[in-house]
PDB file of all heavy atoms in Angstrom:
ATOM      1  N   TRP A   1       4.389   1.574 -11.663  1.00 98.00           N
ATOM      2  CA  TRP A   1       3.743   0.276 -11.522  1.00 98.00           C
ATOM      3  C   TRP A   1       4.238  -0.744 -12.556  1.00 98.00           C
ATOM      4  O   TRP A   1       3.602  -1.027 -13.558  1.00 98.00           O
ATOM      5  CB  TRP A   1       2.231   0.418 -11.597  1.00 98.00           C
ATOM      6  CG  TRP A   1       1.494  -0.804 -11.118  1.00 98.00           C
ATOM      7  CD1 TRP A   1       0.675  -1.627 -11.831  1.00 98.00           C
ATOM      8  CD2 TRP A   1       1.514  -1.346  -9.787  1.00 98.00           C
ATOM      9  NE1 TRP A   1       0.199  -2.642 -11.051  1.00 98.00           N
ATOM     10  CE2 TRP A   1       0.695  -2.493  -9.783  1.00 98.00           C
ATOM     11  CE3 TRP A   1       2.169  -0.973  -8.612  1.00 98.00           C
ATOM     12  CZ2 TRP A   1       0.507  -3.270  -8.638  1.00 98.00           C
ATOM     13  CZ3 TRP A   1       1.976  -1.753  -7.473  1.00 98.00           C
ATOM     14  CH2 TRP A   1       1.154  -2.880  -7.497  1.00 98.00           C
ATOM     15  N   SER A   2       5.410  -1.295 -12.293  1.00 97.00           N
ATOM     16  CA  SER A   2       5.946  -2.432 -13.033  1.00 97.00           C
ATOM     17  C   SER A   2       6.977  -3.086 -12.133  1.00 97.00           C
ATOM     18  O   SER A   2       7.567  -2.435 -11.261  1.00 97.00           O
ATOM     19  CB  SER A   2       6.591  -1.982 -14.349  1.00 97.00           C
ATOM     20  OG  SER A   2       7.817  -1.322 -14.114  1.00 97.00           O
ATOM     21  N   ALA A   3       7.185  -4.377 -12.355  1.00 97.00           N
ATOM     22  CA  ALA A   3       8.145  -5.090 -11.518  1.00 97.00           C
ATOM     23  C   ALA A   3       9.546  -4.500 -11.678  1.00 97.00           C
ATOM     24  O   ALA A   3      10.295  -4.365 -10.701  1.00 97.00           O
ATOM     25  CB  ALA A   3       8.136  -6.573 -11.869  1.00 97.00           C
ATOM     26  N   GLY A   4       9.896  -4.123 -12.897  1.00 95.00           N
ATOM     27  CA  GLY A   4      11.219  -3.574 -13.142  1.00 95.00           C
ATOM     28  C   GLY A   4      11.469  -2.280 -12.407  1.00 95.00           C
ATOM     29  O   GLY A   4      12.546  -2.065 -11.829  1.00 95.00           O
ATOM     30  N   ALA A   5      10.484  -1.378 -12.415  1.00 96.00           N
ATOM     31  CA  ALA A   5      10.647  -0.083 -11.747  1.00 96.00           C
ATOM     32  C   ALA A   5      10.598  -0.224 -10.227  1.00 96.00           C
ATOM     33  O   ALA A   5      11.450   0.329  -9.509  1.00 96.00           O
ATOM     34  CB  ALA A   5       9.573   0.887 -12.216  1.00 96.00           C
ATOM     35  N   LEU A   6       9.632  -0.971  -9.716  1.00 97.00           N
ATOM     36  CA  LEU A   6       9.503  -1.106  -8.266  1.00 97.00           C
ATOM     37  C   LEU A   6      10.733  -1.755  -7.642  1.00 97.00           C
ATOM     38  O   LEU A   6      11.126  -1.411  -6.520  1.00 97.00           O
ATOM     39  CB  LEU A   6       8.252  -1.919  -7.920  1.00 97.00           C
ATOM     40  CG  LEU A   6       6.900  -1.271  -8.241  1.00 97.00           C
ATOM     41  CD1 LEU A   6       5.762  -2.242  -7.937  1.00 97.00           C
ATOM     42  CD2 LEU A   6       6.710   0.026  -7.449  1.00 97.00           C
ATOM     43  N   SER A   7      11.357  -2.666  -8.362  1.00 95.00           N
ATOM     44  CA  SER A   7      12.523  -3.354  -7.814  1.00 95.00           C
ATOM     45  C   SER A   7      13.722  -2.425  -7.668  1.00 95.00           C
ATOM     46  O   SER A   7      14.698  -2.771  -6.994  1.00 95.00           O
ATOM     47  CB  SER A   7      12.891  -4.546  -8.697  1.00 95.00           C
ATOM     48  OG  SER A   7      13.335  -4.117  -9.983  1.00 95.00           O
ATOM     49  N   LYS A   8      13.677  -1.249  -8.277  1.00 94.00           N
ATOM     50  CA  LYS A   8      14.757  -0.274  -8.175  1.00 94.00           C
ATOM     51  C   LYS A   8      14.475   0.795  -7.109  1.00 94.00           C
ATOM     52  O   LYS A   8      15.245   1.740  -6.957  1.00 94.00           O
ATOM     53  CB  LYS A   8      14.967   0.423  -9.525  1.00 94.00           C
ATOM     54  CG  LYS A   8      15.440  -0.508 -10.646  1.00 94.00           C
ATOM     55  CD  LYS A   8      15.558   0.259 -11.963  1.00 94.00           C
ATOM     56  CE  LYS A   8      15.956  -0.657 -13.100  1.00 94.00           C
ATOM     57  NZ  LYS A   8      17.323  -1.180 -12.939  1.00 94.00           N
ATOM     58  N   MET A   9      13.373   0.644  -6.378  1.00 95.00           N
ATOM     59  CA  MET A   9      12.954   1.662  -5.411  1.00 95.00           C
ATOM     60  C   MET A   9      13.148   1.197  -3.972  1.00 95.00           C
ATOM     61  O   MET A   9      12.983   0.024  -3.651  1.00 95.00           O
ATOM     62  CB  MET A   9      11.468   2.006  -5.621  1.00 95.00           C
ATOM     63  CG  MET A   9      11.167   2.720  -6.904  1.00 95.00           C
ATOM     64  SD  MET A   9       9.386   2.817  -7.240  1.00 95.00           S
ATOM     65  CE  MET A   9       8.737   3.380  -5.659  1.00 95.00           C
ATOM     66  N   VAL A  10      13.467   2.139  -3.103  1.00 95.00           N
ATOM     67  CA  VAL A  10      13.434   1.958  -1.661  1.00 95.00           C
ATOM     68  C   VAL A  10      12.610   3.111  -1.099  1.00 95.00           C
ATOM     69  O   VAL A  10      12.803   4.270  -1.494  1.00 95.00           O
ATOM     70  CB  VAL A  10      14.843   1.956  -1.043  1.00 95.00           C
ATOM     71  CG1 VAL A  10      14.768   1.890   0.479  1.00 95.00           C
ATOM     72  CG2 VAL A  10      15.679   0.807  -1.591  1.00 95.00           C
ATOM     73  N   ILE A  11      11.678   2.809  -0.213  1.00 97.00           N
ATOM     74  CA  ILE A  11      10.823   3.837   0.387  1.00 97.00           C
ATOM     75  C   ILE A  11      11.025   3.826   1.894  1.00 97.00           C
ATOM     76  O   ILE A  11      10.842   2.788   2.548  1.00 97.00           O
ATOM     77  CB  ILE A  11       9.331   3.603   0.069  1.00 97.00           C
ATOM     78  CG1 ILE A  11       9.092   3.610  -1.444  1.00 97.00           C
ATOM     79  CG2 ILE A  11       8.465   4.666   0.752  1.00 97.00           C
ATOM     80  CD1 ILE A  11       7.655   3.240  -1.825  1.00 97.00           C
ATOM     81  N   ILE A  12      11.397   4.965   2.457  1.00 97.00           N
ATOM     82  CA  ILE A  12      11.431   5.133   3.914  1.00 97.00           C
ATOM     83  C   ILE A  12      10.244   6.007   4.290  1.00 97.00           C
ATOM     84  O   ILE A  12      10.172   7.175   3.897  1.00 97.00           O
ATOM     85  CB  ILE A  12      12.757   5.774   4.370  1.00 97.00           C
ATOM     86  CG1 ILE A  12      13.934   4.864   4.013  1.00 97.00           C
ATOM     87  CG2 ILE A  12      12.721   6.025   5.885  1.00 97.00           C
ATOM     88  CD1 ILE A  12      15.275   5.400   4.441  1.00 97.00           C
ATOM     89  N   GLY A  13       9.316   5.423   5.002  1.00 98.00           N
ATOM     90  CA  GLY A  13       8.094   6.156   5.345  1.00 98.00           C
ATOM     91  C   GLY A  13       7.186   5.308   6.210  1.00 98.00           C
ATOM     92  O   GLY A  13       7.620   4.323   6.823  1.00 98.00           O
ATOM     93  N   ASN A  14       5.916   5.683   6.266  1.00 97.00           N
ATOM     94  CA  ASN A  14       4.959   4.984   7.110  1.00 97.00           C
ATOM     95  C   ASN A  14       4.911   3.502   6.769  1.00 97.00           C
ATOM     96  O   ASN A  14       4.889   3.123   5.596  1.00 97.00           O
ATOM     97  CB  ASN A  14       3.567   5.590   6.936  1.00 97.00           C
ATOM     98  CG  ASN A  14       3.493   7.000   7.448  1.00 97.00           C
ATOM     99  OD1 ASN A  14       4.479   7.549   7.941  1.00 97.00           O
ATOM    100  ND2 ASN A  14       2.332   7.615   7.339  1.00 97.00           N
ATOM    101  N   SER A  15       4.855   2.674   7.783  1.00 98.00           N
ATOM    102  CA  SER A  15       4.853   1.230   7.608  1.00 98.00           C
ATOM    103  C   SER A  15       3.678   0.766   6.758  1.00 98.00           C
ATOM    104  O   SER A  15       2.517   1.050   7.077  1.00 98.00           O
ATOM    105  CB  SER A  15       4.783   0.542   8.973  1.00 98.00           C
ATOM    106  OG  SER A  15       4.473  -0.827   8.841  1.00 98.00           O
ATOM    107  N   PHE A  16       3.947   0.053   5.663  1.00 98.00           N
ATOM    108  CA  PHE A  16       2.868  -0.518   4.856  1.00 98.00           C
ATOM    109  C   PHE A  16       2.105  -1.570   5.661  1.00 98.00           C
ATOM    110  O   PHE A  16       0.884  -1.692   5.528  1.00 98.00           O
ATOM    111  CB  PHE A  16       3.443  -1.145   3.582  1.00 98.00           C
ATOM    112  CG  PHE A  16       3.822  -0.144   2.521  1.00 98.00           C
ATOM    113  CD1 PHE A  16       3.911   1.215   2.796  1.00 98.00           C
ATOM    114  CD2 PHE A  16       4.094  -0.560   1.227  1.00 98.00           C
ATOM    115  CE1 PHE A  16       4.272   2.136   1.820  1.00 98.00           C
ATOM    116  CE2 PHE A  16       4.450   0.341   0.240  1.00 98.00           C
ATOM    117  CZ  PHE A  16       4.538   1.694   0.534  1.00 98.00           C
ATOM    118  N   LYS A  17       2.829  -2.325   6.500  1.00 97.00           N
ATOM    119  CA  LYS A  17       2.153  -3.295   7.363  1.00 97.00           C
ATOM    120  C   LYS A  17       1.201  -2.583   8.317  1.00 97.00           C
ATOM    121  O   LYS A  17       0.086  -3.051   8.575  1.00 97.00           O
ATOM    122  CB  LYS A  17       3.185  -4.097   8.153  1.00 97.00           C
ATOM    123  CG  LYS A  17       4.019  -5.049   7.318  1.00 97.00           C
ATOM    124  CD  LYS A  17       5.035  -5.774   8.192  1.00 97.00           C
ATOM    125  CE  LYS A  17       5.920  -6.705   7.372  1.00 97.00           C
ATOM    126  NZ  LYS A  17       6.969  -7.362   8.210  1.00 97.00           N
ATOM    127  N   GLY A  18       1.643  -1.448   8.840  1.00 97.00           N
ATOM    128  CA  GLY A  18       0.792  -0.679   9.741  1.00 97.00           C
ATOM    129  C   GLY A  18      -0.444  -0.144   9.036  1.00 97.00           C
ATOM    130  O   GLY A  18      -1.541  -0.135   9.604  1.00 97.00           O
ATOM    131  N   ILE A  19      -0.276   0.320   7.793  1.00 97.00           N
ATOM    132  CA  ILE A  19      -1.423   0.794   7.015  1.00 97.00           C
ATOM    133  C   ILE A  19      -2.419  -0.345   6.825  1.00 97.00           C
ATOM    134  O   ILE A  19      -3.637  -0.161   6.990  1.00 97.00           O
ATOM    135  CB  ILE A  19      -0.953   1.338   5.651  1.00 97.00           C
ATOM    136  CG1 ILE A  19      -0.152   2.631   5.842  1.00 97.00           C
ATOM    137  CG2 ILE A  19      -2.156   1.602   4.729  1.00 97.00           C
ATOM    138  CD1 ILE A  19       0.494   3.158   4.574  1.00 97.00           C
ATOM    139  N   GLU A  20      -1.914  -1.527   6.507  1.00 97.00           N
ATOM    140  CA  GLU A  20      -2.782  -2.692   6.311  1.00 97.00           C
ATOM    141  C   GLU A  20      -3.531  -3.039   7.591  1.00 97.00           C
ATOM    142  O   GLU A  20      -4.738  -3.355   7.564  1.00 97.00           O
ATOM    143  CB  GLU A  20      -1.952  -3.888   5.859  1.00 97.00           C
ATOM    144  CG  GLU A  20      -2.768  -5.147   5.600  1.00 97.00           C
ATOM    145  CD  GLU A  20      -1.913  -6.343   5.272  1.00 97.00           C
ATOM    146  OE1 GLU A  20      -0.736  -6.377   5.688  1.00 97.00           O
ATOM    147  OE2 GLU A  20      -2.417  -7.265   4.602  1.00 97.00           O
ATOM    148  N   GLU A  21      -2.847  -2.958   8.719  1.00 96.00           N
ATOM    149  CA  GLU A  21      -3.472  -3.313   9.995  1.00 96.00           C
ATOM    150  C   GLU A  21      -4.520  -2.307  10.431  1.00 96.00           C
ATOM    151  O   GLU A  21      -5.528  -2.674  11.055  1.00 96.00           O
ATOM    152  CB  GLU A  21      -2.387  -3.441  11.072  1.00 96.00           C
ATOM    153  CG  GLU A  21      -1.467  -4.635  10.872  1.00 96.00           C
ATOM    154  CD  GLU A  21      -0.257  -4.589  11.786  1.00 96.00           C
ATOM    155  OE1 GLU A  21      -0.128  -3.573  12.537  1.00 96.00           O
ATOM    156  OE2 GLU A  21       0.560  -5.523  11.752  1.00 96.00           O
ATOM    157  N   ARG A  22      -4.309  -1.033  10.102  1.00 95.00           N
ATOM    158  CA  ARG A  22      -5.204   0.013  10.598  1.00 95.00           C
ATOM    159  C   ARG A  22      -6.455   0.213   9.721  1.00 95.00           C
ATOM    160  O   ARG A  22      -7.448   0.752  10.199  1.00 95.00           O
ATOM    161  CB  ARG A  22      -4.452   1.336  10.721  1.00 95.00           C
ATOM    162  CG  ARG A  22      -3.449   1.367  11.857  1.00 95.00           C
ATOM    163  CD  ARG A  22      -2.892   2.758  12.060  1.00 95.00           C
ATOM    164  NE  ARG A  22      -2.087   3.197  10.932  1.00 95.00           N
ATOM    165  CZ  ARG A  22      -0.775   2.985  10.819  1.00 95.00           C
ATOM    166  NH1 ARG A  22      -0.139   2.329  11.767  1.00 95.00           N
ATOM    167  NH2 ARG A  22      -0.110   3.421   9.768  1.00 95.00           N
ATOM    168  N   LEU A  23      -6.377  -0.173   8.466  1.00 94.00           N
ATOM    169  CA  LEU A  23      -7.493   0.067   7.546  1.00 94.00           C
ATOM    170  C   LEU A  23      -8.289  -1.204   7.312  1.00 94.00           C
ATOM    171  O   LEU A  23      -7.721  -2.299   7.226  1.00 94.00           O
ATOM    172  CB  LEU A  23      -6.978   0.573   6.196  1.00 94.00           C
ATOM    173  CG  LEU A  23      -6.528   2.025   6.102  1.00 94.00           C
ATOM    174  CD1 LEU A  23      -6.124   2.335   4.668  1.00 94.00           C
ATOM    175  CD2 LEU A  23      -7.615   2.983   6.541  1.00 94.00           C
ATOM    176  N   LEU A  24      -9.598  -1.060   7.175  1.00 94.00           N
ATOM    177  CA  LEU A  24     -10.416  -2.178   6.729  1.00 94.00           C
ATOM    178  C   LEU A  24      -9.959  -2.581   5.331  1.00 94.00           C
ATOM    179  O   LEU A  24      -9.635  -1.720   4.502  1.00 94.00           O
ATOM    180  CB  LEU A  24     -11.890  -1.796   6.713  1.00 94.00           C
ATOM    181  CG  LEU A  24     -12.542  -1.495   8.070  1.00 94.00           C
ATOM    182  CD1 LEU A  24     -13.954  -0.955   7.865  1.00 94.00           C
ATOM    183  CD2 LEU A  24     -12.561  -2.747   8.943  1.00 94.00           C
ATOM    184  N   SER A  25      -9.938  -3.868   5.063  1.00 94.00           N
ATOM    185  CA  SER A  25      -9.417  -4.355   3.785  1.00 94.00           C
ATOM    186  C   SER A  25     -10.176  -3.765   2.606  1.00 94.00           C
ATOM    187  O   SER A  25      -9.574  -3.430   1.574  1.00 94.00           O
ATOM    188  CB  SER A  25      -9.453  -5.882   3.740  1.00 94.00           C
ATOM    189  OG  SER A  25     -10.775  -6.362   3.909  1.00 94.00           O
ATOM    190  N   ARG A  26     -11.472  -3.587   2.741  1.00 93.00           N
ATOM    191  CA  ARG A  26     -12.250  -3.046   1.617  1.00 93.00           C
ATOM    192  C   ARG A  26     -11.875  -1.590   1.335  1.00 93.00           C
ATOM    193  O   ARG A  26     -11.880  -1.147   0.180  1.00 93.00           O
ATOM    194  CB  ARG A  26     -13.749  -3.182   1.879  1.00 93.00           C
ATOM    195  CG  ARG A  26     -14.254  -2.424   3.093  1.00 93.00           C
ATOM    196  CD  ARG A  26     -15.765  -2.585   3.263  1.00 93.00           C
ATOM    197  NE  ARG A  26     -16.239  -1.914   4.445  1.00 93.00           N
ATOM    198  CZ  ARG A  26     -16.530  -0.620   4.503  1.00 93.00           C
ATOM    199  NH1 ARG A  26     -16.373   0.138   3.415  1.00 93.00           N
ATOM    200  NH2 ARG A  26     -16.963  -0.069   5.626  1.00 93.00           N
ATOM    201  N   ILE A  27     -11.537  -0.829   2.382  1.00 92.00           N
ATOM    202  CA  ILE A  27     -11.136   0.563   2.189  1.00 92.00           C
ATOM    203  C   ILE A  27      -9.742   0.625   1.588  1.00 92.00           C
ATOM    204  O   ILE A  27      -9.462   1.422   0.680  1.00 92.00           O
ATOM    205  CB  ILE A  27     -11.192   1.337   3.522  1.00 92.00           C
ATOM    206  CG1 ILE A  27     -12.642   1.412   4.022  1.00 92.00           C
ATOM    207  CG2 ILE A  27     -10.601   2.728   3.369  1.00 92.00           C
ATOM    208  CD1 ILE A  27     -12.795   2.072   5.364  1.00 92.00           C
ATOM    209  N   LEU A  28      -8.846  -0.236   2.075  1.00 94.00           N
ATOM    210  CA  LEU A  28      -7.489  -0.284   1.526  1.00 94.00           C
ATOM    211  C   LEU A  28      -7.524  -0.633   0.040  1.00 94.00           C
ATOM    212  O   LEU A  28      -6.877   0.029  -0.774  1.00 94.00           O
ATOM    213  CB  LEU A  28      -6.660  -1.303   2.295  1.00 94.00           C
ATOM    214  CG  LEU A  28      -5.210  -1.504   1.842  1.00 94.00           C
ATOM    215  CD1 LEU A  28      -4.394  -0.231   2.029  1.00 94.00           C
ATOM    216  CD2 LEU A  28      -4.559  -2.656   2.600  1.00 94.00           C
ATOM    217  N   GLU A  29      -8.292  -1.645  -0.320  1.00 93.00           N
ATOM    218  CA  GLU A  29      -8.344  -2.094  -1.709  1.00 93.00           C
ATOM    219  C   GLU A  29      -9.066  -1.097  -2.606  1.00 93.00           C
ATOM    220  O   GLU A  29      -8.745  -0.971  -3.794  1.00 93.00           O
ATOM    221  CB  GLU A  29      -9.020  -3.460  -1.774  1.00 93.00           C
ATOM    222  CG  GLU A  29      -8.188  -4.555  -1.112  1.00 93.00           C
ATOM    223  CD  GLU A  29      -8.953  -5.851  -0.955  1.00 93.00           C
ATOM    224  OE1 GLU A  29     -10.114  -5.919  -1.443  1.00 93.00           O
ATOM    225  OE2 GLU A  29      -8.412  -6.799  -0.342  1.00 93.00           O
ATOM    226  N   ARG A  30     -10.016  -0.355  -2.043  1.00 92.00           N
ATOM    227  CA  ARG A  30     -10.762   0.619  -2.853  1.00 92.00           C
ATOM    228  C   ARG A  30     -10.012   1.924  -3.025  1.00 92.00           C
ATOM    229  O   ARG A  30      -9.875   2.428  -4.148  1.00 92.00           O
ATOM    230  CB  ARG A  30     -12.112   0.893  -2.179  1.00 92.00           C
ATOM    231  CG  ARG A  30     -13.003   1.874  -2.941  1.00 92.00           C
ATOM    232  CD  ARG A  30     -14.129   2.359  -2.054  1.00 92.00           C
ATOM    233  NE  ARG A  30     -13.642   3.174  -0.957  1.00 92.00           N
ATOM    234  CZ  ARG A  30     -14.351   3.486   0.130  1.00 92.00           C
ATOM    235  NH1 ARG A  30     -15.584   3.009   0.286  1.00 92.00           N
ATOM    236  NH2 ARG A  30     -13.838   4.249   1.081  1.00 92.00           N
ATOM    237  N   ASP A  31      -9.471   2.471  -1.943  1.00 93.00           N
ATOM    238  CA  ASP A  31      -8.876   3.811  -1.981  1.00 93.00           C
ATOM    239  C   ASP A  31      -7.363   3.802  -2.202  1.00 93.00           C
ATOM    240  O   ASP A  31      -6.814   4.782  -2.723  1.00 93.00           O
ATOM    241  CB  ASP A  31      -9.184   4.551  -0.683  1.00 93.00           C
ATOM    242  CG  ASP A  31     -10.670   4.803  -0.494  1.00 93.00           C
ATOM    243  OD1 ASP A  31     -11.426   4.697  -1.493  1.00 93.00           O
ATOM    244  OD2 ASP A  31     -11.082   5.104   0.642  1.00 93.00           O
ATOM    245  N   TYR A  32      -6.703   2.745  -1.781  1.00 96.00           N
ATOM    246  CA  TYR A  32      -5.241   2.688  -1.874  1.00 96.00           C
ATOM    247  C   TYR A  32      -4.854   1.340  -2.478  1.00 96.00           C
ATOM    248  O   TYR A  32      -4.078   0.571  -1.912  1.00 96.00           O
ATOM    249  CB  TYR A  32      -4.612   2.891  -0.491  1.00 96.00           C
ATOM    250  CG  TYR A  32      -5.146   4.122   0.203  1.00 96.00           C
ATOM    251  CD1 TYR A  32      -6.076   4.022   1.233  1.00 96.00           C
ATOM    252  CD2 TYR A  32      -4.754   5.395  -0.211  1.00 96.00           C
ATOM    253  CE1 TYR A  32      -6.587   5.159   1.841  1.00 96.00           C
ATOM    254  CE2 TYR A  32      -5.264   6.532   0.394  1.00 96.00           C
ATOM    255  CZ  TYR A  32      -6.187   6.408   1.418  1.00 96.00           C
ATOM    256  OH  TYR A  32      -6.698   7.528   2.014  1.00 96.00           O
ATOM    257  N   SER A  33      -5.377   1.100  -3.663  1.00 96.00           N
ATOM    258  CA  SER A  33      -5.279  -0.233  -4.271  1.00 96.00           C
ATOM    259  C   SER A  33      -3.847  -0.631  -4.598  1.00 96.00           C
ATOM    260  O   SER A  33      -3.499  -1.822  -4.556  1.00 96.00           O
ATOM    261  CB  SER A  33      -6.126  -0.292  -5.545  1.00 96.00           C
ATOM    262  OG  SER A  33      -5.667   0.658  -6.501  1.00 96.00           O
ATOM    263  N   TYR A  34      -2.989   0.337  -4.903  1.00 97.00           N
ATOM    264  CA  TYR A  34      -1.613  -0.022  -5.266  1.00 97.00           C
ATOM    265  C   TYR A  34      -0.814  -0.439  -4.035  1.00 97.00           C
ATOM    266  O   TYR A  34       0.043  -1.322  -4.123  1.00 97.00           O
ATOM    267  CB  TYR A  34      -0.953   1.128  -6.026  1.00 97.00           C
ATOM    268  CG  TYR A  34      -1.590   1.322  -7.382  1.00 97.00           C
ATOM    269  CD1 TYR A  34      -2.598   2.249  -7.572  1.00 97.00           C
ATOM    270  CD2 TYR A  34      -1.230   0.515  -8.461  1.00 97.00           C
ATOM    271  CE1 TYR A  34      -3.222   2.399  -8.809  1.00 97.00           C
ATOM    272  CE2 TYR A  34      -1.842   0.652  -9.698  1.00 97.00           C
ATOM    273  CZ  TYR A  34      -2.845   1.599  -9.862  1.00 97.00           C
ATOM    274  OH  TYR A  34      -3.472   1.726 -11.077  1.00 97.00           O
ATOM    275  N   ILE A  35      -1.081   0.171  -2.893  1.00 98.00           N
ATOM    276  CA  ILE A  35      -0.472  -0.308  -1.649  1.00 98.00           C
ATOM    277  C   ILE A  35      -0.958  -1.718  -1.367  1.00 98.00           C
ATOM    278  O   ILE A  35      -0.167  -2.618  -1.037  1.00 98.00           O
ATOM    279  CB  ILE A  35      -0.822   0.627  -0.464  1.00 98.00           C
ATOM    280  CG1 ILE A  35      -0.226   2.016  -0.676  1.00 98.00           C
ATOM    281  CG2 ILE A  35      -0.321   0.030   0.853  1.00 98.00           C
ATOM    282  CD1 ILE A  35      -0.600   3.016   0.407  1.00 98.00           C
ATOM    283  N   ALA A  36      -2.273  -1.940  -1.501  1.00 97.00           N
ATOM    284  CA  ALA A  36      -2.844  -3.258  -1.225  1.00 97.00           C
ATOM    285  C   ALA A  36      -2.232  -4.332  -2.116  1.00 97.00           C
ATOM    286  O   ALA A  36      -1.907  -5.435  -1.660  1.00 97.00           O
ATOM    287  CB  ALA A  36      -4.359  -3.211  -1.405  1.00 97.00           C
TER     288      ALA A  36
END
């Protein structure tokens, strides 16, 4: 969790947009806050 480290990463996996669309915002922000 820093701009420097994240900018060096590429993730191939489940769509973050899809996770956002499928979860209620309060659940996303509470349980998966770093994705949010």
Side-chain angles (χ1 to χ4, degrees):
W1 195 243
S2 73
L6 293 176
S7 66
K8 296 177 183 293
M9 292 169 48
V10 175
I11 301 174
I12 298 181
N14 294 0
S15 166
F16 283 13
K17 291 179 182 177
I19 291 173
E20 181 185 25
E21 291 169 357
R22 289 189 294 271
L23 284 183
L24 294 173
S25 59
R26 62 179 178 83
I27 295 176
L28 179 64
E29 293 170 4
R30 181 195 67 195
D31 296 343
Y32 309 104
S33 61
Y34 292 95
I35 296 176

